[in-house]
PDB file of all heavy atoms in Angstrom:
ATOM      1  N   VAL A  18      32.135  53.009  41.389  1.00  0.00           N
ATOM      2  CA  VAL A  18      32.532  52.417  42.668  1.00  0.00           C
ATOM      3  C   VAL A  18      31.462  52.686  43.726  1.00  0.00           C
ATOM      4  O   VAL A  18      31.135  51.816  44.533  1.00  0.00           O
ATOM      5  CB  VAL A  18      33.909  52.956  43.115  1.00  0.00           C
ATOM      6  CG1 VAL A  18      34.216  52.569  44.545  1.00  0.00           C
ATOM      7  CG2 VAL A  18      34.996  52.438  42.185  1.00  0.00           C
ATOM      8  N   VAL A  73      32.845  48.318  48.732  1.00  0.00           N
ATOM      9  CA  VAL A  73      34.091  48.176  47.986  1.00  0.00           C
ATOM     10  C   VAL A  73      35.224  48.700  48.852  1.00  0.00           C
ATOM     11  O   VAL A  73      35.116  49.774  49.441  1.00  0.00           O
ATOM     12  CB  VAL A  73      34.014  48.967  46.653  1.00  0.00           C
ATOM     13  CG1 VAL A  73      35.307  48.876  45.883  1.00  0.00           C
ATOM     14  CG2 VAL A  73      32.861  48.455  45.812  1.00  0.00           C
ATOM     15  N   SER A  74      36.334  47.964  48.940  1.00  0.00           N
ATOM     16  CA  SER A  74      37.460  48.392  49.759  1.00  0.00           C
ATOM     17  C   SER A  74      38.101  49.654  49.190  1.00  0.00           C
ATOM     18  O   SER A  74      37.954  49.970  48.011  1.00  0.00           O
ATOM     19  CB  SER A  74      38.512  47.276  49.842  1.00  0.00           C
ATOM     20  OG  SER A  74      39.173  47.155  48.598  1.00  0.00           O
ATOM     21  N   GLY A  75      38.821  50.365  50.020  1.00  0.00           N
ATOM     22  CA  GLY A  75      39.512  51.577  49.580  1.00  0.00           C
ATOM     23  C   GLY A  75      40.504  51.297  48.470  1.00  0.00           C
ATOM     24  O   GLY A  75      40.607  52.061  47.505  1.00  0.00           O
ATOM     25  N   ALA A  76      41.237  50.198  48.582  1.00  0.00           N
ATOM     26  CA  ALA A  76      42.223  49.858  47.548  1.00  0.00           C
ATOM     27  C   ALA A  76      41.544  49.547  46.225  1.00  0.00           C
ATOM     28  O   ALA A  76      41.991  49.991  45.162  1.00  0.00           O
ATOM     29  CB  ALA A  76      43.072  48.669  48.008  1.00  0.00           C
ATOM     30  N   ALA A  77      40.447  48.805  46.266  1.00  0.00           N
ATOM     31  CA  ALA A  77      39.722  48.485  45.028  1.00  0.00           C
ATOM     32  C   ALA A  77      39.128  49.744  44.422  1.00  0.00           C
ATOM     33  O   ALA A  77      39.165  49.940  43.208  1.00  0.00           O
ATOM     34  CB  ALA A  77      38.623  47.463  45.301  1.00  0.00           C
ATOM     35  N   GLY A  78      38.603  50.610  45.260  1.00  0.00           N
ATOM     36  CA  GLY A  78      38.052  51.867  44.768  1.00  0.00           C
ATOM     37  C   GLY A  78      39.111  52.727  44.111  1.00  0.00           C
ATOM     38  O   GLY A  78      38.880  53.314  43.043  1.00  0.00           O
ATOM     39  N   ALA A  79      40.288  52.803  44.717  1.00  0.00           N
ATOM     40  CA  ALA A  79      41.375  53.584  44.142  1.00  0.00           C
ATOM     41  C   ALA A  79      41.841  52.990  42.822  1.00  0.00           C
ATOM     42  O   ALA A  79      42.113  53.715  41.866  1.00  0.00           O
ATOM     43  CB  ALA A  79      42.540  53.658  45.125  1.00  0.00           C
ATOM     44  N   ALA A  80      41.902  51.670  42.749  1.00  0.00           N
ATOM     45  CA  ALA A  80      42.340  51.015  41.517  1.00  0.00           C
ATOM     46  C   ALA A  80      41.355  51.272  40.379  1.00  0.00           C
ATOM     47  O   ALA A  80      41.754  51.589  39.256  1.00  0.00           O
ATOM     48  CB  ALA A  80      42.506  49.511  41.748  1.00  0.00           C
ATOM     49  N   VAL A  81      40.064  51.155  40.659  1.00  0.00           N
ATOM     50  CA  VAL A  81      39.050  51.383  39.629  1.00  0.00           C
ATOM     51  C   VAL A  81      39.047  52.838  39.193  1.00  0.00           C
ATOM     52  O   VAL A  81      38.947  53.149  38.010  1.00  0.00           O
ATOM     53  CB  VAL A  81      37.659  50.943  40.129  1.00  0.00           C
ATOM     54  CG1 VAL A  81      36.566  51.397  39.187  1.00  0.00           C
ATOM     55  CG2 VAL A  81      37.620  49.434  40.296  1.00  0.00           C
ATOM     56  N   THR A  82      39.178  53.752  40.140  1.00  0.00           N
ATOM     57  CA  THR A  82      39.219  55.174  39.810  1.00  0.00           C
ATOM     58  C   THR A  82      40.437  55.497  38.952  1.00  0.00           C
ATOM     59  O   THR A  82      40.338  56.222  37.963  1.00  0.00           O
ATOM     60  CB  THR A  82      39.209  56.028  41.086  1.00  0.00           C
ATOM     61  OG1 THR A  82      38.035  55.711  41.838  1.00  0.00           O
ATOM     62  CG2 THR A  82      39.209  57.505  40.774  1.00  0.00           C
ATOM     63  N   GLY A  83      41.580  54.930  39.302  1.00  0.00           N
ATOM     64  CA  GLY A  83      42.792  55.150  38.503  1.00  0.00           C
ATOM     65  C   GLY A  83      42.660  54.581  37.103  1.00  0.00           C
ATOM     66  O   GLY A  83      43.068  55.212  36.116  1.00  0.00           O
ATOM     67  N   ALA A  84      42.058  53.411  36.999  1.00  0.00           N
ATOM     68  CA  ALA A  84      41.858  52.804  35.688  1.00  0.00           C
ATOM     69  C   ALA A  84      40.901  53.648  34.845  1.00  0.00           C
ATOM     70  O   ALA A  84      41.122  53.853  33.650  1.00  0.00           O
ATOM     71  CB  ALA A  84      41.317  51.380  35.837  1.00  0.00           C
TER      72      ALA A  84
END
Side-chain angles (χ1 to χ4, degrees):
V18 169
V73 178
S74 72
V81 170
T82 302

